[in-house]
Amino acid sequence: MGRDFDLRNLHIEVTTRCNLNCIYCLRRFWSGYEPRDMEFNTYLRILDQAEGLERINLYGFGEPFMNPRILDMIYHARRSFKDSKIFLSTNGMLLNESIIEKAVERGLDSIAVSVDTINLQQLKKIRVGSGPRVLKSLSDLCRIGRRILPELEIGIECVILKHGIEELPKVVEYAADMGVDYVQVSHVVPYSKQIYEYACYTCVSEKVISLLRGDRLRKLCEIRDKASLQALLLLHGGSRTTHELKKYFEIVKDLTSHGYTANLTALCEEQHKIHLTLRVKEALRRVREVAEDYGVEIRLPKIFSDAADRSCPYEEKHSIYVRRDGKIAPCMELAYTHPEYVNSHNKQVYEYLVGDIRAESLSRILSNERFERLREMRKDLTHSCPWCGDCPYSELECWFVKDNLLDCYGNSPSCSECLYSVGLASCII
């Protein structure tokens, strides 16, 4: 394979078609969306060129069971990689007893169903087109799937939204009663400001909030109200420096001494988000307790980001993302061009493709310069890539935050506002 890239995890998007219309799904905001299946020959070409895989993930921005050849895909994955884990993520609406039996018999040994809430009225509002079939599918999976393969791994995926925080312990209890192995929770990735209003996290580092405890945050917000942000950033001394500015720079200097900076928009205008995250922190504590009591594995996201604690899950798991058209991206986030609302501003995230399996060999793709350059940066994100969540220039609409094409460290593309890198968002790979 690539020079020093040991591909162990293959993430394959088998389709971009879906039978639901979830309120937070990329397909609602994706101007170039094309509902199509991966061609079977393209799929076989990927499997033929990969080797030594530990895991194959058959899902992407679509419902895998919409692809009419998904059972054949599972079969060929198992035939090619007898010892690999074959995983699939589904919304559950197309599962029935026959499909479950065939999928497990053909080699599927790990599956997760998306269940944000067990309140069916709420579920229908969030995952438009969904219904009680999802919960029935989960029950059938645990009953029929385990009869065929006792060690079948079954999970639930939840996207946490602010109006569903209190529901999480109930989801875990329900999962335990069904016999589910784990519950994985992720914050929503907001592709618009409207979706961000449902989010219950902040991109401000928790350490910054801790350092500003007491009156310091209130003082910063008062200063921001009295003076223009431009003045705060540009006036550094002399007779024009006011008492407020001196206090501002005193606080910022202390933050800098700890390796952090301050994004005043996030700190002052989004204090409701900070208070909300404290509420979520308590809710997740209860979720952990319930999971421990019921013996269910719980995988929870972080609530605050941390500029000093970042890593790329695709790099850590030696994974790539293959789009349904055979083009390869380093990760799911960079697979397609799309809008995003992060750190109090709109952003355009441009796709970053490293090759096309239909025209090039996999080994050549994994060793090309585009992929190698990005990997070098992702190996040590904390030191190689900025984090804009705490940056004072972020709220000035700094040109580096308008898109992901370049950051102030010179990286192109940039992962400077990737929610996956700070553990706020997650997917199963």
Side-chain angles (χ1 to χ4, degrees):
M1 292 300 163
R3 270 170 270 175
D4 65 341
F5 186 69
D6 178 20
L7 180 64
R8 301 176 196 166
N9 186 313
L10 197 54
H11 194 167
I12 305 175
E13 180 180 68
V14 296
T15 186
T16 51
R17 295 194 295 137
C18 193
N19 53 333
L20 297 186
N21 190 22
C22 303
I23 61 172
Y24 48 67
C25 182
L26 176 66
R27 292 180 300 106
R28 283 183 173 237
F29 309 93
W30 182 6
S31 60
Y33 171 58
E34 292 182 332
R36 294 182 182 176
D37 300 324
M38 173 175 278
E39 293 183 1
F40 195 62
N41 286 339
T42 300
Y43 178 78
L44 292 180
R45 181 174 169 83
I46 298 166
L47 294 183
D48 288 344
Q49 295 196 32
E51 56 188 41
L53 295 177
E54 297 173 359
R55 183 183 178 99
I56 300 173
N57 304 292
L58 302 178
Y59 76 99
F61 292 108
E63 167 52 43
F65 286 104
M66 291 289 287
N67 188 316
R69 301 208 65 176
I70 186 61
L71 295 176
D72 294 329
M73 290 176 159
I74 293 170
Y75 170 77
H76 280 277
R78 175 57 65 211
R79 190 177 72 169
S80 300
F81 299 93
K82 290 182 172 55
D83 298 323
S84 300
K85 178 171 285 188
I86 310 299
F87 171 79
L88 185 149
S89 175
T90 177
N91 61 39
M93 291 297 289
L94 298 178
L95 291 182
N96 56 42
E97 293 188 9
S98 176
I99 289 177
I100 292 170
E101 287 178 355
K102 290 174 182 176
V104 176
E105 287 171 350
R106 296 191 185 193
L108 187 71
D109 59 0
S110 182
I111 185 169
V113 180
S114 297
V115 183
D116 295 339
T117 173
I118 58 173
N119 180 320
L120 290 178
Q121 292 304 313
Q122 279 295 102
L123 191 65
K124 291 176 182 178
K125 290 178 183 178
I126 298 168
R127 304 182 65 79
V128 181
S130 186
R133 172 75 246 174
V134 177
L135 302 184
K136 175 69 165 56
S137 295
L138 187 62
S139 175
D140 289 344
L141 264 175
C142 294
R143 177 174 55 87
I144 300 168
R146 292 261 175 73
R147 186 187 69 215
I148 301 168
L149 184 68
E151 64 269 28
L152 176 67
E153 182 183 53
I154 301 173
I156 285 179
E157 292 183 272
C158 300
V159 174
I160 180 174
L161 305 173
K162 67 179 182 182
H163 52 263
I165 297 170
E166 308 305 328
E167 281 284 310
L168 278 177
K170 297 178 183 177
V171 173
V172 175
E173 289 179 13
Y174 185 85
D177 289 339
M178 288 293 103
V180 166
D181 296 297
Y182 67 88
V183 176
Q184 175 149 331
V185 183
S186 172
H187 288 293
V188 67
V189 176
Y191 300 116
S192 71
K193 186 174 182 179
Q194 180 182 12
I195 297 300
Y196 180 67
E197 292 304 312
Y198 297 132
C200 41
Y201 61 83
T202 174
C203 289
V204 175
S205 293
E206 186 172 14
K207 183 69 172 178
V208 171
I209 296 171
S210 174
L211 290 169
L212 293 175
R213 61 183 177 273
D215 288 339
R216 304 183 89 194
L217 178 55
R218 180 183 58 78
K219 178 62 68 176
L220 268 182
C221 293
E222 287 178 357
I223 294 170
R224 189 177 187 273
D225 290 340
K226 291 180 180 179
S228 73
L229 190 58
Q230 292 286 351
L232 290 177
L233 295 173
L234 297 177
L235 293 180
H236 289 275
S239 59
R240 294 181 297 171
T241 302
T242 63
H243 171 74
E244 286 84 1
L245 288 176
K246 287 180 180 178
K247 186 64 178 176
Y248 168 81
F249 289 117
E250 176 187 312
I251 295 172
V252 168
K253 184 178 180 181
D254 183 49
L255 288 175
T256 304
S257 71
H258 288 84
Y260 295 89
T261 51
N263 180 337
L264 289 184
T265 292
L267 284 166
C268 300
E269 294 185 5
E270 296 195 359
Q271 288 195 55
H272 65 290
K273 285 283 187 186
I274 295 173
H275 292 311
L276 176 62
T277 55
L278 297 176
R279 178 178 149 212
V280 174
K281 190 173 185 178
E282 172 59 23
L284 295 188
R285 184 190 64 77
R286 294 200 305 275
V287 167
R288 286 191 190 92
E289 291 177 351
V290 171
E292 185 175 344
D293 290 343
Y294 281 83
V296 176
E297 180 188 352
I298 188 74
R299 305 171 184 175
L300 297 176
K302 294 180 180 178
I303 307 168
F304 299 92
S305 63
D306 190 337
D309 182 16
R310 289 176 287 145
S311 61
C312 173
Y314 278 82
E315 184 65 28
E316 287 185 333
K317 297 187 178 182
H318 297 258
S319 184
I320 57 172
Y321 186 88
V322 187
R323 300 194 326 187
R324 68 95 197 148
D325 58 6
K327 294 180 180 178
I328 294 177
C331 61
M332 201 170 185
E333 176 73 355
L334 296 178
Y336 295 100
T337 297
H338 62 270
E340 199 161 310
Y341 188 84
V342 61
N343 289 327
S344 307
H345 65 83
N346 289 300
K347 184 187 191 81
Q348 187 76 353
V349 177
Y350 289 98
E351 66 183 35
Y352 188 79
L353 304 176
V354 297
D356 188 335
I357 195 65
R358 298 168 302 180
E360 307 168 76
S361 69
L362 186 57
S363 60
R364 183 180 181 125
I365 292 170
L366 297 183
S367 61
N368 71 32
E369 185 180 349
R370 283 174 66 80
F371 192 40
E372 290 285 338
R373 185 171 65 245
L374 180 64
R375 288 195 63 236
E376 279 303 310
M377 181 263 289
R378 297 196 311 182
K379 287 176 183 176
D380 186 8
L381 283 176
T382 299
H383 297 100
S384 301
C385 183
W387 175 246
C388 303
D390 300 320
C391 180
Y393 295 101
S394 179
E395 63 174 321
L396 289 176
E397 296 190 9
C398 159
W399 57 84
F400 292 122
V401 301
K402 294 182 183 299
D403 54 51
N404 66 320
L405 295 180
L406 182 69
D407 64 37
C408 56
Y409 284 21
N411 299 306
S412 180
S414 176
C415 302
S416 61
E417 295 180 292
C418 175
L419 298 176
Y420 296 90
S421 73
V422 286
L424 294 174
S426 63
C427 59
I428 301 178
I429 57 172

